Amino acid sequence: MSSQVRLRLLPRARCLFDEPIKVKVEGLRSRQVVTMRARLTDDKGVVFSSSATYRADGSGEVDLNRDPSLGGTYVGVEPMGLLWSMRAQKSHKKFQKATSLKPQLVNFSVHEGEGRILAEETNERILIGDGVSRVPVQEGNISGVLFTPPGGGLFPAVLDILTFKSETRASLLANKGFVVLAISLVEGKFESFEHYPRFHLDHFKEAIDFLKQQPKVDSKGVGIIAKSKGADIALSLATFVPGIKAAVSINGCSANVGIPLYYKKQQILSPLQYDFSKLITSESGTNIVKYIFEDPLAEKNKGSLIPIEQAKTHLLLAAGEDDHNFDSKRYMDQMVERLKRHGKENFESVSYPGAGHLLQPPYKPFCPSCAHGLFPFIGSWGGEPKAHAAAEVHLWKKIQEFFRTHLSCDAAQTKAKL
């Protein structure tokens, strides 16, 4: 490494996972061309990396907030491009951060052309800020992890329903002043819809009641957030179960997908059926699922439609317009039309051109394909990396504002400090 060259991560090398950083290089030759690289290893041991070519200014500096990448895994001025453009060294792998206990370490380095390292620095991206508690929960039918902000409370509460096991979203919301219980859609590995004769809203209501009973929680009402199949469960909870004040549906369906839904020992929604003959498989082995599902508005499927006009909950509906898993924009438009037809104003909707299915908290490596999770094959998720990354930044801020607005509690403004 060159003693003249310095790589700086500002305002500090340690930050929350969802915080942007400024990457600067100093001490280069005037107009020197260098390669910037980033590299990390996820919880499953999969290595992700990115690279970009930059030209220093007349003072020998590179500033990723100002200067364009001339080539590499992204081009143009993209301050966080080295993070979202990372690619897995193995095909069809999704970045996995299953637990929040350990920070994600990202190595940034600057190279002379494609050669020797001139400088490097490690970015420590933490998921739990100082004072946030993490407690595993095994109680009744509840199996999950409870995150609680520091301080005396009272705090608003959110139930995070997961299709892919991850504590990232829940732990980051706790840093923002929310008590969050993260639970999986199903326990263990989800093999296929056929293995589950029915879902019970009662199990999720049990988790909601548990949240309300926590000593630091404002018990007047809770929020729910979920994506994909979990989103139609969230919308069904908002419709049929009282005490839910705000629900976020990300790339969800307007109907109950795949599995009969029960509440209080009675079936309340039939399943929206699907036809695998309409699956589109690429030469690389990825599968586009969105076309296999029947039309929710067809007469025979009316029993699967979620009657969200009955919900007294505030709703935030979000859709990626390039989703390969669900026809999410169309489903969202169906729900918006239904709500408007019934004179409802308790909702917001937002869609993102170029965004795919896996809309998550920002600054993760973009994932085009990986094991599906609900079906036994490799799923194609859609999305264009740059547009998808921008959508994640916007949606993450919107989710926080939405919950702060509708989960009325002064402590919602509390933020844990590093």
Side-chain angles (χ1 to χ4, degrees):
M1 285 190 290
S2 170
S3 60
Q4 303 293 323
V5 180
R6 183 183 180 192
L7 193 158
R8 302 176 65 198
L9 304 177
L10 303 171
R12 54 192 174 273
R14 182 174 182 260
C15 65
L16 284 172
F17 192 94
D18 59 344
E19 287 183 342
I21 55 168
K22 295 181 179 179
V23 182
K24 299 183 74 172
V25 182
E26 302 167 345
L28 298 169
R29 300 188 305 274
S30 176
R31 309 299 177 185
Q32 182 177 355
V33 176
V34 295
T35 300
M36 300 290 301
R37 294 180 181 169
R39 180 185 175 96
L40 65 79
T41 303
D42 76 359
D43 286 355
K44 296 295 185 180
V46 178
V47 176
F48 293 77
S49 61
S50 60
S51 66
T53 301
Y54 284 89
R55 185 185 301 277
D57 64 12
S59 301
E61 295 185 359
V62 171
D63 182 346
L64 269 62
N65 276 51
R66 175 197 66 191
D67 301 325
S69 164
L70 305 177
T73 51
Y74 65 96
V75 295
V77 179
E78 294 292 332
M80 297 293 283
L82 285 172
L83 287 182
W84 59 253
S85 74
M86 283 186 174
R87 299 169 181 170
Q89 289 189 351
K90 298 179 180 179
S91 298
H92 312 311
K93 293 295 182 180
K94 176 179 180 286
F95 170 80
Q96 296 202 46
K97 192 69 184 161
T99 74
S100 55
L101 294 174
K102 293 182 180 180
Q104 180 60 60
L105 302 181
V106 183
N107 175 260
F108 288 89
S109 56
V110 55
H111 299 252
E112 189 172 36
E114 296 295 324
R116 70 186 181 101
I117 297 177
L118 300 175
E120 60 183 337
E121 185 66 73
T122 298
N123 180 205
E124 185 179 359
R125 306 188 68 80
I126 67 171
L127 285 92
I128 299 183
D130 292 342
V132 174
S133 72
R134 175 191 180 275
V135 178
V137 176
Q138 292 286 341
E139 184 172 314
N141 292 307
I142 306 167
S143 177
V145 183
L146 180 70
F147 295 90
T148 306
L154 297 170
F155 299 106
V158 175
L159 179 66
D160 187 355
I161 302 174
L162 302 163
T163 44
F164 283 102
K165 184 180 179 182
S166 171
E167 297 177 7
T168 300
R169 189 167 60 195
S171 60
L172 292 175
L173 280 174
N175 290 305
K176 306 298 189 289
F178 299 90
V179 175
V180 187
L181 176 62
I183 62 172
S184 295
L185 185 64
V186 296
E187 281 305 305
K189 185 178 180 181
F190 193 113
E191 297 182 19
S192 71
F193 284 127
E194 287 78 8
H195 286 76
Y196 298 89
R198 64 188 65 177
F199 270 0
H200 293 272
L201 279 189
D202 310 75
H203 295 167
F204 300 96
K205 182 181 183 299
E206 187 176 342
I208 291 167
D209 292 340
F210 173 85
L211 260 177
K212 289 181 180 180
Q213 294 163 7
Q214 297 308 300
K216 289 188 177 183
V217 165
D218 174 11
S219 61
K220 295 177 183 177
V222 302
I224 306 177
I225 185 169
K227 173 173 56 64
S228 193
K229 171 58 188 173
D232 69 60
I233 294 293
L235 292 172
S236 298
L237 285 165
T239 299
F240 295 104
V241 177
I244 298 165
K245 295 181 69 175
V248 177
S249 164
I250 304 170
N251 284 333
C253 184
S254 53
N256 172 56
V257 176
I259 302 174
L261 187 62
Y262 280 68
Y263 183 44
K264 297 181 178 180
K265 299 181 180 180
Q266 292 185 338
Q267 180 173 309
I268 55 174
L269 292 174
S270 58
L272 182 69
Q273 300 294 340
Y274 52 92
D275 179 358
F276 275 134
S277 70
K278 297 179 181 178
L279 193 70
I280 298 176
T281 303
S282 72
E283 291 183 2
S284 65
T286 63
N287 295 272
I288 296 177
V289 173
K290 68 185 291 183
Y291 303 108
I292 75 172
F293 299 103
E294 293 186 356
D295 180 5
L297 299 184
E299 187 63 33
K300 66 175 181 177
N301 296 321
K302 292 294 179 67
S304 70
L305 277 172
I306 304 167
I308 55 173
E309 71 278 1
Q310 298 176 15
K312 295 178 172 60
T313 306
H314 295 281
L315 304 173
L316 173 58
L317 310 173
E321 295 186 16
D322 191 37
D323 188 347
H324 285 185
N325 187 70
F326 278 164
D327 200 350
S328 296
K329 176 62 164 58
R330 183 167 68 97
Y331 295 153
M332 187 188 77
D333 290 343
Q334 290 174 0
M335 289 188 278
V336 168
E337 192 279 331
R338 182 175 186 134
L339 288 164
K340 287 181 176 179
R341 190 170 71 246
H342 286 86
K344 300 298 180 178
E345 298 180 348
N346 60 327
F347 68 94
E348 301 174 48
S349 63
V350 60
S351 64
Y352 298 98
H357 188 68
L358 298 182
L359 286 169
Q360 305 170 93
Y363 311 132
K364 287 182 178 181
F366 173 74
C367 176
S369 60
C370 69
H372 189 277
L374 298 185
F375 294 115
F377 48 64
I378 300 298
S380 172
W381 303 117
E384 185 279 319
K386 179 177 177 179
H388 188 92
E392 289 185 327
V393 171
H394 183 272
L395 179 59
W396 185 234
K397 291 179 181 177
K398 191 168 186 65
I399 288 167
Q400 294 171 54
E401 293 168 357
F402 175 78
F403 279 146
R404 287 195 182 100
T405 299
H406 298 296
L407 299 179
S408 57
C409 184
D410 291 341
Q413 305 302 324
T414 303
K415 289 188 180 181
K417 296 182 179 180
L418 291 175

